[in-house]
Amino acid sequence: MAHNALLSELHWLRDQVTGVMESAVATVDGLLVVADTDGAQPEVVSALAAATLGLGKRTGHEVGMGELREVVIRCRGGYIVVYAVGQVALLAVLADEGLDVGRLHIESRPAVERLGALLTQEHAAN
């Protein structure tokens, strides 16, 4: 049940934000929880996103900027955005060059909250 609810959140984000192509939820240690991907290897995305999140958290801490919210990577072909989902998970978003970055940040905040609540419910049920 939680798997379907998590996947629905990923589909919702893709439908709401122009440019979002693929996404995945993973644990902070890089284990895939659920993915909405077509071309990317979700296990690889999860592992690399976890490393990105860890580096971003450490950098933010070292420079005194507080708790990490997201890491944005811009490449020639698009964007990779990694969001912290509480202390135990992450959301990785892959997007094309047409990404509406501002819209992604606005829509991702409630999505991250909902994902966190779903993951907490799943953990409590187990």
Side-chain angles (χ1 to χ4, degrees):
M1 178 73 172
H3 180 272
N4 289 339
L6 291 167
L7 195 55
S8 291
E9 284 295 330
L10 299 183
H11 291 163
W12 179 86
L13 191 60
R14 183 180 38 166
D15 292 342
Q16 294 301 308
V17 182
T18 301
V20 171
M21 300 181 324
E22 303 182 64
S23 57
V25 174
T27 62
V28 292
D29 55 355
L31 298 176
L32 178 65
V33 175
V34 65
D36 174 27
T37 59
D38 292 323
Q41 297 176 338
E43 292 84 3
V44 174
V45 170
S46 296
L48 293 173
T52 301
L53 183 73
L55 183 59
K57 283 183 176 183
R58 183 71 182 154
T59 303
H61 174 75
E62 285 298 318
V63 299
M65 294 262 184
E67 187 176 352
L68 179 76
R69 288 172 39 179
E70 72 261 346
V71 176
V72 179
I73 301 168
R74 185 170 183 199
C75 303
R76 176 174 282 173
Y79 296 83
I80 303 123
V81 185
V82 181
Y83 294 93
V85 179
Q87 297 297 316
V88 297
L90 63 87
L91 167 63
V93 177
L94 307 179
D96 62 26
E97 273 292 311
L99 176 67
D100 183 340
V101 178
R103 175 83 180 205
L104 177 62
H105 290 326
I106 290 168
E107 298 295 348
S108 67
R109 287 187 180 94
V112 164
E113 292 296 322
R114 290 189 301 267
L115 289 167
L118 289 167
L119 290 167
T120 299
Q121 288 173 0
E122 182 177 334
H123 181 70
N126 293 330

PDB file of all heavy atoms in Angstrom, residues 50-75:
ATOM      1  N   ALA A  50      22.413   9.618  -2.692  1.00  0.00           N
ATOM      2  CA  ALA A  50      22.774   9.534  -1.271  1.00  0.00           C
ATOM      3  C   ALA A  50      24.143  10.157  -1.023  1.00  0.00           C
ATOM      4  O   ALA A  50      24.331  10.887  -0.038  1.00  0.00           O
ATOM      5  CB  ALA A  50      22.744   8.087  -0.801  1.00  0.00           C
ATOM      6  N   ALA A  51      25.082   9.895  -1.915  1.00  0.00           N
ATOM      7  CA  ALA A  51      26.416  10.505  -1.778  1.00  0.00           C
ATOM      8  C   ALA A  51      26.317  12.023  -1.934  1.00  0.00           C
ATOM      9  O   ALA A  51      26.951  12.776  -1.181  1.00  0.00           O
ATOM     10  CB  ALA A  51      27.360   9.915  -2.819  1.00  0.00           C
ATOM     11  N   THR A  52      25.526  12.479  -2.881  1.00  0.00           N
ATOM     12  CA  THR A  52      25.313  13.914  -3.097  1.00  0.00           C
ATOM     13  C   THR A  52      24.690  14.560  -1.871  1.00  0.00           C
ATOM     14  O   THR A  52      25.125  15.632  -1.423  1.00  0.00           O
ATOM     15  CB  THR A  52      24.411  14.132  -4.331  1.00  0.00           C
ATOM     16  OG1 THR A  52      25.035  13.543  -5.467  1.00  0.00           O
ATOM     17  CG2 THR A  52      24.139  15.595  -4.574  1.00  0.00           C
ATOM     18  N   LEU A  53      23.676  13.913  -1.319  1.00  0.00           N
ATOM     19  CA  LEU A  53      23.012  14.430  -0.120  1.00  0.00           C
ATOM     20  C   LEU A  53      23.995  14.527   1.043  1.00  0.00           C
ATOM     21  O   LEU A  53      24.048  15.544   1.740  1.00  0.00           O
ATOM     22  CB  LEU A  53      21.831  13.530   0.245  1.00  0.00           C
ATOM     23  CG  LEU A  53      21.008  13.980   1.442  1.00  0.00           C
ATOM     24  CD1 LEU A  53      20.164  15.192   1.066  1.00  0.00           C
ATOM     25  CD2 LEU A  53      20.119  12.843   1.926  1.00  0.00           C
ATOM     26  N   GLY A  54      24.781  13.487   1.243  1.00  0.00           N
ATOM     27  CA  GLY A  54      25.758  13.488   2.330  1.00  0.00           C
ATOM     28  C   GLY A  54      26.778  14.606   2.185  1.00  0.00           C
ATOM     29  O   GLY A  54      27.105  15.298   3.153  1.00  0.00           O
ATOM     30  N   LEU A  55      27.274  14.804   0.974  1.00  0.00           N
ATOM     31  CA  LEU A  55      28.235  15.877   0.718  1.00  0.00           C
ATOM     32  C   LEU A  55      27.595  17.246   0.935  1.00  0.00           C
ATOM     33  O   LEU A  55      28.189  18.136   1.546  1.00  0.00           O
ATOM     34  CB  LEU A  55      28.781  15.763  -0.706  1.00  0.00           C
ATOM     35  CG  LEU A  55      29.846  16.761  -1.117  1.00  0.00           C
ATOM     36  CD1 LEU A  55      31.063  16.671  -0.212  1.00  0.00           C
ATOM     37  CD2 LEU A  55      30.243  16.527  -2.565  1.00  0.00           C
ATOM     38  N   GLY A  56      26.365  17.407   0.458  1.00  0.00           N
ATOM     39  CA  GLY A  56      25.661  18.677   0.649  1.00  0.00           C
ATOM     40  C   GLY A  56      25.420  18.979   2.120  1.00  0.00           C
ATOM     41  O   GLY A  56      25.603  20.116   2.578  1.00  0.00           O
ATOM     42  N   LYS A  57      25.007  17.953   2.891  1.00  0.00           N
ATOM     43  CA  LYS A  57      24.783  18.143   4.331  1.00  0.00           C
ATOM     44  C   LYS A  57      26.069  18.559   5.024  1.00  0.00           C
ATOM     45  O   LYS A  57      26.079  19.481   5.844  1.00  0.00           O
ATOM     46  CB  LYS A  57      24.250  16.851   4.969  1.00  0.00           C
ATOM     47  CG  LYS A  57      22.802  16.589   4.714  1.00  0.00           C
ATOM     48  CD  LYS A  57      22.356  15.327   5.440  1.00  0.00           C
ATOM     49  CE  LYS A  57      20.879  15.098   5.289  1.00  0.00           C
ATOM     50  NZ  LYS A  57      20.436  13.912   6.040  1.00  0.00           N
ATOM     51  N   ARG A  58      27.140  17.877   4.704  1.00  0.00           N
ATOM     52  CA  ARG A  58      28.428  18.178   5.346  1.00  0.00           C
ATOM     53  C   ARG A  58      28.915  19.584   4.982  1.00  0.00           C
ATOM     54  O   ARG A  58      29.391  20.330   5.836  1.00  0.00           O
ATOM     55  CB  ARG A  58      29.468  17.128   4.940  1.00  0.00           C
ATOM     56  CG  ARG A  58      30.782  17.297   5.597  1.00  0.00           C
ATOM     57  CD  ARG A  58      30.695  16.936   7.052  1.00  0.00           C
ATOM     58  NE  ARG A  58      31.994  17.174   7.646  1.00  0.00           N
ATOM     59  CZ  ARG A  58      32.179  17.442   8.908  1.00  0.00           C
ATOM     60  NH1 ARG A  58      31.158  17.487   9.736  1.00  0.00           N
ATOM     61  NH2 ARG A  58      33.368  17.653   9.371  1.00  0.00           N
ATOM     62  N   THR A  59      28.772  19.942   3.728  1.00  0.00           N
ATOM     63  CA  THR A  59      29.187  21.270   3.285  1.00  0.00           C
ATOM     64  C   THR A  59      28.368  22.349   3.976  1.00  0.00           C
ATOM     65  O   THR A  59      28.917  23.337   4.484  1.00  0.00           O
ATOM     66  CB  THR A  59      29.065  21.395   1.757  1.00  0.00           C
ATOM     67  OG1 THR A  59      29.850  20.375   1.138  1.00  0.00           O
ATOM     68  CG2 THR A  59      29.517  22.760   1.276  1.00  0.00           C
ATOM     69  N   GLY A  60      27.054  22.184   4.015  1.00  0.00           N
ATOM     70  CA  GLY A  60      26.190  23.151   4.700  1.00  0.00           C
ATOM     71  C   GLY A  60      26.551  23.304   6.160  1.00  0.00           C
ATOM     72  O   GLY A  60      26.568  24.421   6.706  1.00  0.00           O
ATOM     73  N   HIS A  61      26.855  22.189   6.805  1.00  0.00           N
ATOM     74  CA  HIS A  61      27.245  22.223   8.218  1.00  0.00           C
ATOM     75  C   HIS A  61      28.563  22.968   8.403  1.00  0.00           C
ATOM     76  O   HIS A  61      28.694  23.815   9.289  1.00  0.00           O
ATOM     77  CB  HIS A  61      27.352  20.799   8.762  1.00  0.00           C
ATOM     78  CG  HIS A  61      27.872  20.723  10.154  1.00  0.00           C
ATOM     79  ND1 HIS A  61      27.101  21.058  11.249  1.00  0.00           N
ATOM     80  CD2 HIS A  61      29.086  20.365  10.632  1.00  0.00           C
ATOM     81  CE1 HIS A  61      27.826  20.909  12.341  1.00  0.00           C
ATOM     82  NE2 HIS A  61      29.031  20.489  11.994  1.00  0.00           N
ATOM     83  N   GLU A  62      29.535  22.657   7.563  1.00  0.00           N
ATOM     84  CA  GLU A  62      30.868  23.264   7.681  1.00  0.00           C
ATOM     85  C   GLU A  62      30.858  24.772   7.474  1.00  0.00           C
ATOM     86  O   GLU A  62      31.637  25.493   8.092  1.00  0.00           O
ATOM     87  CB  GLU A  62      31.854  22.619   6.699  1.00  0.00           C
ATOM     88  CG  GLU A  62      32.311  21.255   7.116  1.00  0.00           C
ATOM     89  CD  GLU A  62      33.064  21.253   8.442  1.00  0.00           C
ATOM     90  OE1 GLU A  62      33.898  22.158   8.686  1.00  0.00           O
ATOM     91  OE2 GLU A  62      32.809  20.333   9.248  1.00  0.00           O
ATOM     92  N   VAL A  63      29.999  25.253   6.611  1.00  0.00           N
ATOM     93  CA  VAL A  63      29.965  26.702   6.347  1.00  0.00           C
ATOM     94  C   VAL A  63      28.909  27.417   7.168  1.00  0.00           C
ATOM     95  O   VAL A  63      28.696  28.615   7.004  1.00  0.00           O
ATOM     96  CB  VAL A  63      29.790  27.000   4.835  1.00  0.00           C
ATOM     97  CG1 VAL A  63      30.949  26.428   4.037  1.00  0.00           C
ATOM     98  CG2 VAL A  63      28.460  26.498   4.309  1.00  0.00           C
ATOM     99  N   GLY A  64      28.240  26.681   8.039  1.00  0.00           N
ATOM    100  CA  GLY A  64      27.289  27.296   8.956  1.00  0.00           C
ATOM    101  C   GLY A  64      25.988  27.756   8.336  1.00  0.00           C
ATOM    102  O   GLY A  64      25.367  28.703   8.813  1.00  0.00           O
ATOM    103  N   MET A  65      25.534  27.077   7.281  1.00  0.00           N
ATOM    104  CA  MET A  65      24.298  27.481   6.601  1.00  0.00           C
ATOM    105  C   MET A  65      23.069  26.728   7.093  1.00  0.00           C
ATOM    106  O   MET A  65      21.990  26.899   6.540  1.00  0.00           O
ATOM    107  CB  MET A  65      24.446  27.276   5.100  1.00  0.00           C
ATOM    108  CG  MET A  65      25.472  28.168   4.479  1.00  0.00           C
ATOM    109  SD  MET A  65      24.630  29.565   3.772  1.00  0.00           S
ATOM    110  CE  MET A  65      25.953  30.433   3.012  1.00  0.00           C
ATOM    111  N   GLY A  66      23.213  25.870   8.073  1.00  0.00           N
ATOM    112  CA  GLY A  66      22.057  25.172   8.633  1.00  0.00           C
ATOM    113  C   GLY A  66      21.725  23.887   7.910  1.00  0.00           C
ATOM    114  O   GLY A  66      22.505  23.368   7.124  1.00  0.00           O
ATOM    115  N   GLU A  67      20.518  23.409   8.184  1.00  0.00           N
ATOM    116  CA  GLU A  67      20.069  22.121   7.663  1.00  0.00           C
ATOM    117  C   GLU A  67      19.864  22.172   6.151  1.00  0.00           C
ATOM    118  O   GLU A  67      19.276  23.110   5.613  1.00  0.00           O
ATOM    119  CB  GLU A  67      18.755  21.733   8.346  1.00  0.00           C
ATOM    120  CG  GLU A  67      18.293  20.344   8.008  1.00  0.00           C
ATOM    121  CD  GLU A  67      17.043  19.939   8.778  1.00  0.00           C
ATOM    122  OE1 GLU A  67      16.625  20.675   9.690  1.00  0.00           O
ATOM    123  OE2 GLU A  67      16.494  18.893   8.454  1.00  0.00           O
ATOM    124  N   LEU A  68      20.345  21.148   5.480  1.00  0.00           N
ATOM    125  CA  LEU A  68      20.234  21.053   4.021  1.00  0.00           C
ATOM    126  C   LEU A  68      18.785  20.849   3.596  1.00  0.00           C
ATOM    127  O   LEU A  68      18.066  20.050   4.193  1.00  0.00           O
ATOM    128  CB  LEU A  68      21.072  19.872   3.511  1.00  0.00           C
ATOM    129  CG  LEU A  68      21.015  19.647   2.009  1.00  0.00           C
ATOM    130  CD1 LEU A  68      21.869  20.677   1.295  1.00  0.00           C
ATOM    131  CD2 LEU A  68      21.457  18.249   1.667  1.00  0.00           C
ATOM    132  N   ARG A  69      18.366  21.560   2.566  1.00  0.00           N
ATOM    133  CA  ARG A  69      17.041  21.360   1.976  1.00  0.00           C
ATOM    134  C   ARG A  69      17.156  20.625   0.653  1.00  0.00           C
ATOM    135  O   ARG A  69      16.422  19.692   0.386  1.00  0.00           O
ATOM    136  CB  ARG A  69      16.324  22.689   1.796  1.00  0.00           C
ATOM    137  CG  ARG A  69      15.880  23.244   3.136  1.00  0.00           C
ATOM    138  CD  ARG A  69      15.330  24.630   3.129  1.00  0.00           C
ATOM    139  NE  ARG A  69      14.493  24.989   2.005  1.00  0.00           N
ATOM    140  CZ  ARG A  69      13.927  26.174   1.888  1.00  0.00           C
ATOM    141  NH1 ARG A  69      14.084  27.084   2.822  1.00  0.00           N
ATOM    142  NH2 ARG A  69      13.195  26.462   0.845  1.00  0.00           N
ATOM    143  N   GLU A  70      18.058  21.080  -0.208  1.00  0.00           N
ATOM    144  CA  GLU A  70      18.237  20.405  -1.488  1.00  0.00           C
ATOM    145  C   GLU A  70      19.599  20.715  -2.074  1.00  0.00           C
ATOM    146  O   GLU A  70      20.241  21.687  -1.700  1.00  0.00           O
ATOM    147  CB  GLU A  70      17.158  20.800  -2.497  1.00  0.00           C
ATOM    148  CG  GLU A  70      17.258  22.191  -3.044  1.00  0.00           C
ATOM    149  CD  GLU A  70      16.326  23.185  -2.358  1.00  0.00           C
ATOM    150  OE1 GLU A  70      15.408  22.799  -1.641  1.00  0.00           O
ATOM    151  OE2 GLU A  70      16.549  24.384  -2.555  1.00  0.00           O
ATOM    152  N   VAL A  71      20.001  19.863  -3.008  1.00  0.00           N
ATOM    153  CA  VAL A  71      21.216  20.062  -3.795  1.00  0.00           C
ATOM    154  C   VAL A  71      20.770  20.092  -5.250  1.00  0.00           C
ATOM    155  O   VAL A  71      20.051  19.198  -5.701  1.00  0.00           O
ATOM    156  CB  VAL A  71      22.227  18.914  -3.591  1.00  0.00           C
ATOM    157  CG1 VAL A  71      23.433  19.097  -4.495  1.00  0.00           C
ATOM    158  CG2 VAL A  71      22.653  18.808  -2.136  1.00  0.00           C
ATOM    159  N   VAL A  72      21.181  21.122  -5.987  1.00  0.00           N
ATOM    160  CA  VAL A  72      20.818  21.254  -7.397  1.00  0.00           C
ATOM    161  C   VAL A  72      22.083  21.124  -8.234  1.00  0.00           C
ATOM    162  O   VAL A  72      23.059  21.847  -8.006  1.00  0.00           O
ATOM    163  CB  VAL A  72      20.141  22.617  -7.682  1.00  0.00           C
ATOM    164  CG1 VAL A  72      19.786  22.733  -9.158  1.00  0.00           C
ATOM    165  CG2 VAL A  72      18.918  22.802  -6.810  1.00  0.00           C
ATOM    166  N   ILE A  73      22.044  20.204  -9.188  1.00  0.00           N
ATOM    167  CA  ILE A  73      23.162  20.005 -10.111  1.00  0.00           C
ATOM    168  C   ILE A  73      22.637  20.297 -11.510  1.00  0.00           C
ATOM    169  O   ILE A  73      21.621  19.734 -11.926  1.00  0.00           O
ATOM    170  CB  ILE A  73      23.694  18.559 -10.051  1.00  0.00           C
ATOM    171  CG1 ILE A  73      24.165  18.224  -8.634  1.00  0.00           C
ATOM    172  CG2 ILE A  73      24.810  18.357 -11.072  1.00  0.00           C
ATOM    173  CD1 ILE A  73      24.437  16.755  -8.413  1.00  0.00           C
ATOM    174  N   ARG A  74      23.327  21.176 -12.209  1.00  0.00           N
ATOM    175  CA  ARG A  74      22.912  21.495 -13.582  1.00  0.00           C
ATOM    176  C   ARG A  74      23.947  20.942 -14.540  1.00  0.00           C
ATOM    177  O   ARG A  74      25.146  21.230 -14.427  1.00  0.00           O
ATOM    178  CB  ARG A  74      22.771  22.999 -13.769  1.00  0.00           C
ATOM    179  CG  ARG A  74      22.230  23.333 -15.136  1.00  0.00           C
ATOM    180  CD  ARG A  74      21.871  24.774 -15.265  1.00  0.00           C
ATOM    181  NE  ARG A  74      21.303  25.004 -16.580  1.00  0.00           N
ATOM    182  CZ  ARG A  74      21.209  26.183 -17.139  1.00  0.00           C
ATOM    183  NH1 ARG A  74      21.630  27.243 -16.486  1.00  0.00           N
ATOM    184  NH2 ARG A  74      20.686  26.304 -18.335  1.00  0.00           N
ATOM    185  N   CYS A  75      23.483  20.161 -15.489  1.00  0.00           N
ATOM    186  CA  CYS A  75      24.334  19.545 -16.497  1.00  0.00           C
ATOM    187  C   CYS A  75      23.948  20.064 -17.883  1.00  0.00           C
ATOM    188  O   CYS A  75      22.941  20.772 -18.013  1.00  0.00           O
ATOM    189  CB  CYS A  75      24.169  18.020 -16.477  1.00  0.00           C
ATOM    190  SG  CYS A  75      24.517  17.271 -14.887  1.00  0.00           S
TER     191      CYS A  75
END
